[in-house]
Amino acid sequence: MPKITYIDAQGTSRTVEGETGSTVMEVAVRNGVPGIEAECGGACACATCHVYVDDAWAEKTGHAEPMEEDMLDFAFDVRPNSRLSCQIRVRDDLDGLVVRTPARQG
């Protein structure tokens, strides 16, 4: 199972195993990772699962689709590497993925 590292705004790191096919958001929620609120449950209808994808992983995770970009408009402190974690599917080639959570969710 691929491992994902979540780093919060204070720098605390948590590495958990994610099930292939689930989303980065679902993995965070299942493992009690703080900083991912996921109010809409992964429907891409809010911005409360906003993360910053580590630059080394940006190409592998891909770019936000238009609907995701629209939802990111509601997030705080959006950056070029911002993504909604509900839109990133866990795959074997994402083993070692690093994402950071913002200080505040939208």
Side-chain angles (χ1 to χ4, degrees):
M1 292 192 353
K3 291 184 180 172
I4 303 168
T5 299
Y6 300 83
I7 303 171
D8 66 24
Q10 291 74 40
T12 302
S13 174
R14 292 168 185 81
T15 301
V16 297
E17 289 186 341
E19 186 175 323
T20 301
S22 62
T23 66
V24 171
M25 180 218 69
E26 290 169 333
V27 172
V29 170
R30 274 191 220 117
N31 288 281
V33 174
I36 305 281
E37 295 173 17
E39 289 178 2
C40 76
C44 196
C46 71
T48 61
C49 68
H50 176 212
V51 295
Y52 305 116
V53 175
D54 190 83
D55 290 340
W57 292 94
E59 191 172 315
K60 278 193 176 184
T61 57
H63 300 285
E65 296 291 326
M67 190 166 93
E68 181 182 352
E69 288 178 1
D70 289 345
M71 287 296 103
L72 281 167
D73 287 341
F74 298 101
F76 293 97
D77 195 22
V78 175
R79 301 175 187 172
N81 62 338
S82 288
R83 291 292 308 272
L84 296 181
S85 60
C86 68
Q87 298 302 296
I88 304 171
R89 287 263 167 221
V90 176
R91 307 181 312 261
D92 289 337
D93 67 333
L94 292 183
D95 185 34
L97 174 65
V98 176
V99 297
R100 289 174 168 70
T101 56
R104 174 177 158 192
Q105 288 289 1

